[in-house]
């Protein structure tokens, strides 16, 4: 599903290079794989759009890694090799790395049991009227770990990826603005890592904090403050790129509520989402809250930034496979990526007439040959890995920089 807002009046002069921003929301591992498929479709179907050379990026939760990777010039083909085919010569992705139990967290909580039990029994013995059995939940709630899995492994994985082959783990060394958003659990404030006050935090640490979904991963301690998933405040935080004076916003949100009765007819009791128990009800509730909040934000952005073209891609509400796939499972990542790829191409195909003039204003055109192939797969067009060494990878990156610089100067010369 594509939401399109066309600019009322474009401020950029004709021929000047367009400034493009990308906002990627969260959604757990499956949401990240949906976003990767959507990005791959845009990469292949839009000529003139280089997702690794945009002017500004913002990523939230699982979308933060994709945004950080693109800002570090890791293209969608390479990320597909890492997460889908597993044949990357650069990064070896192991799903179990992201699902290691937080044993240290368990032991730390268990170690506090004797002290809490002693305090409780002391109150029962000496102040029985003040001790209430209902206080048990509050008092011993601190024994429950605040995260099932160890996100320290996530940070180590990202740090390794962003500190080799010419990439950087430092916001200040990137060619483009990158924002990674997390929420301070003690105040509820959203913090933009990559902003002036927080750009010294390593990118890997910022992504770890932004992806610390409460219950799944423990909060991340940075400068004595504890951070969790950035989606707690906003779904996509697109305003961070809209504020940068861009001409075109591209947004991707992988979580929408499932429309089980899209025809308007009543749903049978045994076929209702309610029959799926608490997980299905909570998932639908969570998705509905995120979607409604984002729709309010998009409506506000259209009013606040009327002269910026805005394209936001989301899944189809009737797609039950996306809804019923475990959001924290990596086993379905290829299938989800494929669904996203085909959905995004279908959106571009169906809205082609409206999109052509909008994209043309930014030097982008639709590749008709890609859109004309309904059987095209997310893995089509991905060349085999280059088998670069560290030295050859850095050389390739330097040559790419030179080529980009020459091309940019030629375009500016023509514009004059």
């Amino acid at each position: 599903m594509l939401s399109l807002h066309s600019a009322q009046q474009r401020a950029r002069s004709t021929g000047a290079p367009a400034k493009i921003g990308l906002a990627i929301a969260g959604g757990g591992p499956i949401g990240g794989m949906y976003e990767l498929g959507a990005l791959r479709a845009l990469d292949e179907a839009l000529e003139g759009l280089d997702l690794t050379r945009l002017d500004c990026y913002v990523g939230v939760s699982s979308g933060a890694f994709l945004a950080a990777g693109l800002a570090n010039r890791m293209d969608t083909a390479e990320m597909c090799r890492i997460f889908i085919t597993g044949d990357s010569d650069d990064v070896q992705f192991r799903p179990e790395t992201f699902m290691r139990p937080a044993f240290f967290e368990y032991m730390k909580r268990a170690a506090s049991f004797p002290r809490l039990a002693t305090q409780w029994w002391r109150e029962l013995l000496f102040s029985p009227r003040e001790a209430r059995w209902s206080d048990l939940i509050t008092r011993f709630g601190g024994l429950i770990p605040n995260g099932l899995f160890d996100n320290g492994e996530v940070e180590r994985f990202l740090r390794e990826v962003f500190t080799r082959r010419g990439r950087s783990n430092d916001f200040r060394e990137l060619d483009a603005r990158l924002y990674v958003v997390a929420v301070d659990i003690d105040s509820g404030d959203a913090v933009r890592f990559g902003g002036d006050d927080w750009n010294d935090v390593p990118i890997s640490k910022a992504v770890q904090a932004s992806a610390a979904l409460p219950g799944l991963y423990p909060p991340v301690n940075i400068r004595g403050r504890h951070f969790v998933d950035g989606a707690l405040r906003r779904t996509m935080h697109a305003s961070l790129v809209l504020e940068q004076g861009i001409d075109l916003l591209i947004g991707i949100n992988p979580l929408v509520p499932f429309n089980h009765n899209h025809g308007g007819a009543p749903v049978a009791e045994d076929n209702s989402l309610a029959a799926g128990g608490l997980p299905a009800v909570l998932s639908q509730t969570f998705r509905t809250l995120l979607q409604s909040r984002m729709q309010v934000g998009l409506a506000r952005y259209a009013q606040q930034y009327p002269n910026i073209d805005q394209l936001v891609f989301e899944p189809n509400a009737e797609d039950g496979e996306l809804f019923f796939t475990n959001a924290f499972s990596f086993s379905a990542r290829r299938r989800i990526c494929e669904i996203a790829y085909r959905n995004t191409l279908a959106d571009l195909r169906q809205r082609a007439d409206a999109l052509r003039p909008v994209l043309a204003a930014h030097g982008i055109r639709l590749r008709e040959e890609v859109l004309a192939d309904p059987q095209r797969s997310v893995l089509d067009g991905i060349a085999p890995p280059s088998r670069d060494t560290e030295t050859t990878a850095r050389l390739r990156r330097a040559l790419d920089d030179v080529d980009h610089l020459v091309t940019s100067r030629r375009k500016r010369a023509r514009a004059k």
Side-chain angles (χ1 to χ4, degrees):
M1 181 173 61
L2 168 60
S3 298
L4 168 62
H5 166 71
S6 298
Q8 295 179 10
Q9 183 178 356
R10 297 181 179 93
R12 181 172 52 89
S13 59
T14 305
K19 295 184 66 176
I20 303 174
L22 176 66
I24 314 178
I30 288 301
M33 292 304 97
Y34 187 93
E35 290 164 334
L36 177 56
L39 288 167
R40 182 61 190 161
L42 296 175
D43 209 0
E44 288 204 300
L46 300 182
E47 183 178 343
L49 176 70
D50 186 347
L51 292 173
T52 67
R53 296 281 189 179
L54 302 183
D55 297 275
C56 187
Y57 303 83
V58 61
V60 181
S61 192
S62 57
F65 173 76
L66 298 175
L70 291 169
N72 257 298
R73 305 235 305 276
M74 297 176 68
D75 62 21
T76 58
E78 179 59 22
M79 286 196 271
C80 283
R81 293 190 197 99
I82 294 171
F83 293 110
I84 307 302
T85 63
D87 63 350
S88 170
D89 68 330
D90 179 14
V91 179
Q92 297 302 311
F93 168 68
R94 295 179 178 85
E96 59 271 18
T97 299
F98 291 72
M99 295 294 174
R100 291 184 181 179
F103 291 118
F104 179 76
E105 173 70 13
Y106 301 163
M107 291 187 291
K108 183 176 71 173
R109 298 289 170 173
S112 65
F113 176 76
R115 176 178 56 82
L116 292 174
T118 301
Q119 291 175 351
W120 174 249
W121 283 111
R122 185 182 295 119
E123 288 185 10
L124 281 178
L125 290 173
F126 298 106
S127 305
R129 294 181 179 178
E130 297 179 9
R132 296 186 299 271
W133 289 104
S134 59
D135 292 339
L136 274 174
I137 295 176
T138 302
R139 183 176 294 276
F140 289 97
L143 295 175
I144 302 173
N146 54 21
L148 295 175
F149 302 109
D150 180 10
N151 52 5
E153 293 297 321
V154 175
E155 193 277 332
R156 281 188 283 273
F157 171 80
L158 296 174
R159 189 191 332 139
E160 182 183 352
V161 172
F162 294 145
T163 53
R164 64 169 187 260
R165 295 202 172 190
R167 296 186 286 265
S168 176
N169 200 29
D170 190 327
F171 285 99
R172 296 164 295 188
E173 295 179 357
L174 299 177
D175 296 330
R177 275 276 192 178
L178 168 65
Y179 296 109
V180 173
V181 183
V183 170
D184 184 334
I185 192 65
D186 292 306
S187 68
D189 294 333
V191 168
R192 54 175 80 177
F193 295 104
D196 293 338
D197 296 332
W198 293 90
N199 59 7
D200 59 325
V201 175
I203 296 173
S204 58
K205 195 73 174 177
V207 175
Q208 177 195 11
S210 182
L213 182 65
L216 190 68
Y217 293 117
V220 177
N221 188 336
I222 300 176
R223 297 184 189 171
R225 296 170 64 176
H226 295 82
F227 293 96
V228 294
D229 197 313
L232 265 64
R233 282 299 299 265
R234 295 181 188 173
T235 304
M236 200 163 57
H237 291 271
S239 59
L240 293 184
V241 294
L242 289 167
E243 293 168 357
Q244 303 303 310
I246 61 172
D247 303 300
L248 171 65
L249 166 72
I250 299 174
I252 303 177
N253 171 43
L255 293 183
V256 298
F258 177 44
N259 187 351
H260 201 28
N261 59 340
H262 51 87
V267 179
E269 181 71 24
D270 59 350
N271 201 30
S272 168
L273 290 179
L278 185 60
V281 172
L282 287 179
S283 178
Q284 182 74 336
T285 302
F286 180 66
R287 289 164 179 263
T288 302
L289 288 172
L290 289 180
Q291 170 74 354
S292 62
R293 189 170 59 179
M294 200 187 78
Q295 287 177 337
V296 170
L298 290 177
R300 186 174 67 249
Y301 296 153
Q303 294 178 345
Q304 288 181 317
Y305 307 95
N307 297 329
I308 299 177
D309 290 307
Q310 301 175 36
L311 310 178
V312 178
F313 295 86
E314 295 179 303
N316 298 320
E318 295 82 11
D319 199 329
E321 185 171 7
L322 285 174
F323 180 83
F324 290 105
T325 297
N326 181 356
F328 305 110
S329 170
F330 286 96
S331 61
R333 59 187 183 274
R334 178 167 179 171
R335 188 175 74 254
I336 297 302
C337 199
E338 188 72 58
I339 291 173
Y341 178 83
R342 294 191 176 182
N343 281 354
T344 306
L345 289 184
D347 285 339
L348 294 173
R349 191 181 303 118
Q350 292 165 7
R351 303 290 296 277
D353 290 341
L355 282 170
R356 284 191 186 96
V358 174
L359 295 174
H362 307 290
I364 303 170
R365 77 168 188 89
L366 294 170
R367 289 193 175 101
E368 304 295 343
E369 66 278 12
V370 173
L371 298 183
D373 183 3
Q375 302 304 316
R376 191 174 180 86
S377 166
V378 68
L379 300 182
D380 292 343
I382 296 180
S386 57
R387 305 301 175 191
D388 284 335
T389 64
E390 179 72 18
T391 301
T392 57
R394 287 178 177 272
L395 177 60
R396 187 188 297 274
R397 188 182 181 94
L399 292 173
D400 182 59
D401 283 337
V402 172
D403 182 64
H404 177 72
L405 180 62
V406 171
T407 303
S408 298
R409 287 185 175 178
R410 284 177 178 169
K411 287 182 178 178
R412 281 195 288 268
R414 291 195 202 100
K416 293 178 181 179

